[in-house]
Amino acid sequence: MTVTQQMHHPDLNLLMDILPEESEVSDTGELSIGGVPVGELARQYGTPAYIMDETGLRRQIRRFVQGMKSRRPNSEVLFASKSLPCVAMYAIAQAEGLSVDVAGGGELMMALTAGVNPGNIYLHGNAKSDAEIQMALAAGIRAIIVDNFNDLDRLEAMATKKQHVLLRMIPGITPATHASQVTGGNDSKFGLPPADITRAIERIARHPLLYFEGIHVHIGSQVLETEPFAQAVKSVAEFGSFDTYDVGGGLGVKYTYDEIAPSVEDYLDTLTEAAARLLPAEARLIIEPGRSLVARAGITLYSVNTVKTTGKTFVAVNGGMADNIDIALTGQRYEAVMASKIGAEPTVVADVVGRQCESGDLMCADVPLADPQVGDLVAMPATGAYAYTLANNYNGACKPPVIFCANGSSTLAVARETYEDLLRTQQPALQRRW
Ligand SMILES: Cc1ncc(COP(=O)(O)O)c(C=O)c1O
């Protein structure tokens, strides 16, 4: 393909479909999120920065919460908080009527700090420690999802008052998604094989303080069809009659102009129709969306640090795989736009790359860009899920801040890490030995 063939900028409607719902583009082509222009956000908080559209996020939460309640009154939507674990987000989840699932002690601590009612918290994990089980028991959380017999050993030994548990079963379903995002295949490290479930249920039933509520499955993430979710319902239904069936999360989202994702409504229709057909009428149905709740509400805002042409043209931004490792980890593709020049005629087709020392730190290939200059702002849409939470310190990067925007004002939810933060855990004593 020649440069001129590639050099078209996407239709504004295509872009608006992957930007947060409360996005606007000014007459001069400047993007704003929740009514706050990106230039203002960059001046106030610096870049890179994770910017969240709080209004769009709350609207999406309501689509799930109200959508589930209207289709199946005896149901519960848990925010899979691994997708965006920060105190501000836990507080929003609680205020909007979501329960939360936590994947370990750290997330549990943040949820409790945010004021989430312990009665709305569920604990997951395939390698829970004694300390984490103890924390969960002491907090009096709603349920612990038992993943294996060692979890059961610990619970049997440590429970001092009544504790509800669910059992995670391997459903043997492998939806079409990236291999690292399939969790429900027969050789999964998560959960117990179906053949072990009856034995686990019997053990729980024998314990005076443990109460067996039902079965949990999670088939994978970024699943772009609805049918596997009906299969997930079938896999738990086949196991018998319980109080609760938790079919996990996994609904995929639209990251790129050409990607097609099911709507929340289609997903809920498929799930609840399968549940109406296959589950006991009075049973509670739980889902655990993460990505599909928060991904679209977020963008990452970068500044251009370098523009250069070698065999191809590169626009290098001041972030990369340290703040969005999903691209390298799962092969997820994203789009990138010049955030203050939207709609301007492209002058170059370039690879937008990060600043980390890996050739795999390619953020977006062959992007038509309007005259990219050092200091220009670049926005990467649909980064509200699994970007902040997977951020790391590779090459000494400081994790970017998280900022929530609504109705023209912005609030800092997580501060930018500093070099002092990086040094805080380093031990100078060791340096002296060398
Ligand atoms: C047990 C469990 N529930 C829910 C989720 C959320 O998945 P997603 O963000 O794809 O909705 C995950 C993610 O891996 C998970 O492991």
Side-chain angles (χ1 to χ4, degrees):
M1 217 187 310
T2 65
V3 165
T4 39
Q5 277 172 315
Q6 289 177 298
M7 203 132 44
H8 54 86
H9 56 80
D11 184 328
L12 190 59
N13 289 331
L14 284 179
L15 176 61
M16 291 319 246
D17 270 357
I18 55 170
L19 281 170
E21 292 180 30
E22 295 296 312
S23 298
E24 280 173 6
V25 177
S26 73
D27 293 346
T28 60
E30 183 178 25
L31 175 65
S32 63
I33 305 294
V36 191
V38 288
E40 193 179 311
L41 289 165
R43 273 191 299 280
Q44 187 170 352
Y45 301 101
T47 56
Y50 301 112
I51 311 294
M52 298 296 299
D53 158 23
E54 185 181 334
T55 310
L57 169 66
R58 286 178 184 266
R59 205 179 288 135
Q60 180 74 343
I61 294 175
R62 287 172 204 165
R63 283 185 194 114
F64 272 94
V65 173
Q66 290 166 10
M68 266 298 261
K69 274 278 166 285
S70 64
R71 287 168 176 81
R72 190 173 178 102
N74 193 10
S75 63
E76 196 169 350
V77 184
L78 316 190
F79 166 48
S81 68
K82 68 191 66 162
S83 58
L84 184 60
C86 63
V87 170
M89 182 61 214
Y90 284 105
I92 290 173
Q94 159 102 344
E96 292 292 343
L98 286 168
S99 296
V100 306
D101 88 49
V102 294
E107 289 183 1
L108 175 55
M109 198 178 61
M110 280 192 274
L112 293 172
T113 303
V116 176
N117 179 348
N120 294 336
I121 302 179
Y122 293 69
L123 174 68
H124 275 292
N126 70 309
K128 302 177 193 78
S129 66
D130 287 359
E132 286 172 317
I133 298 262
Q134 186 53 50
M135 248 176 106
L137 291 171
I141 70 167
R142 176 70 175 76
I144 295 176
I145 291 96
V146 169
D147 174 275
N148 53 66
F149 286 106
N150 301 120
D151 272 358
L152 258 185
D153 296 340
R154 292 186 175 98
L155 278 167
E156 285 168 344
M158 291 160 78
T160 54
K161 57 182 190 306
K162 189 174 177 193
Q163 178 62 58
H164 283 231
V165 299
L166 294 165
L167 266 180
R168 181 163 182 168
M169 182 185 79
I170 300 177
I173 299 171
T174 46
T177 184
H178 189 276
S180 70
Q181 291 175 321
V182 173
T183 53
N186 283 330
D187 53 1
S188 174
K189 76 166 180 176
F190 302 102
L192 284 171
D196 286 340
I197 293 293
T198 308
R199 186 154 57 100
I201 294 176
E202 285 167 2
R203 256 180 78 172
I204 297 167
R206 280 198 297 275
H207 195 280
L209 295 173
L210 299 182
Y211 179 75
F212 175 68
E213 250 199 82
I215 299 277
H216 167 277
V217 292
H218 172 69
I219 58 173
S221 201
Q222 185 57 6
V223 178
L224 290 170
E225 333 155 277
T226 54
E227 184 47 31
F229 297 105
Q231 288 174 32
V233 173
K234 187 159 175 280
S235 74
V236 288
E238 279 165 358
F239 249 85
S241 187
F242 310 118
D243 298 353
T244 298
Y245 297 85
D246 179 342
V247 292
L251 176 63
V253 305
K254 179 173 167 59
Y255 282 94
T256 59
Y257 304 133
D258 57 6
E259 203 159 38
I260 299 167
S263 67
V264 174
E265 289 70 25
D266 284 350
Y267 160 76
L268 293 180
D269 282 347
T270 304
L271 258 184
T272 52
E273 278 164 23
R277 258 186 300 114
L278 301 166
L279 300 182
E282 69 291 351
R284 201 159 59 104
L285 178 64
I286 297 182
I287 56 169
E288 304 174 336
R291 186 186 303 273
S292 52
L293 276 175
V294 295
R296 185 180 168 190
I299 66 160
T300 311
L301 192 60
Y302 300 101
S303 302
V304 173
N305 272 5
T306 306
V307 181
K308 76 172 173 189
T309 303
T310 60
K312 47 189 331 187
T313 300
F314 293 99
V315 171
V317 296
N318 58 350
M321 64 196 292
D323 57 73
N324 189 341
I325 203 169
D326 225 16
I327 305 169
L329 195 64
T330 69
Q332 182 57 57
R333 289 184 306 120
Y334 288 83
E335 306 286 355
V337 286
M338 305 293 296
S340 304
K341 298 179 186 174
I342 292 176
E345 273 313 306
T347 55
V348 63
V349 172
D351 280 3
V352 176
V353 295
R355 56 168 295 145
Q356 271 77 48
C357 303
E358 300 287 335
S359 294
D361 191 22
L362 167 64
M363 308 189 70
C364 197
D366 297 324
V367 197
L369 295 170
D371 189 25
Q373 300 287 336
V374 170
D376 281 352
L377 295 176
V378 170
M380 185 168 278
T383 57
Y386 300 109
Y388 162 71
T389 184
L390 285 166
N392 58 79
N393 298 121
Y394 186 44
N395 290 166
C398 295
K399 294 181 192 174
V402 181
I403 295 134
F404 281 75
C405 297
N407 305 320
S409 61
S410 62
T411 310
L412 186 64
V414 182
R416 183 184 301 285
E417 255 184 3
T418 61
Y419 290 147
E420 289 70 36
D421 293 327
L422 292 187
L423 290 174
R424 199 173 46 80
T425 48
Q426 303 296 317
Q427 300 302 307
L430 200 60
Q431 287 167 11
R432 281 203 294 274
R433 281 213 262 129
W434 296 105

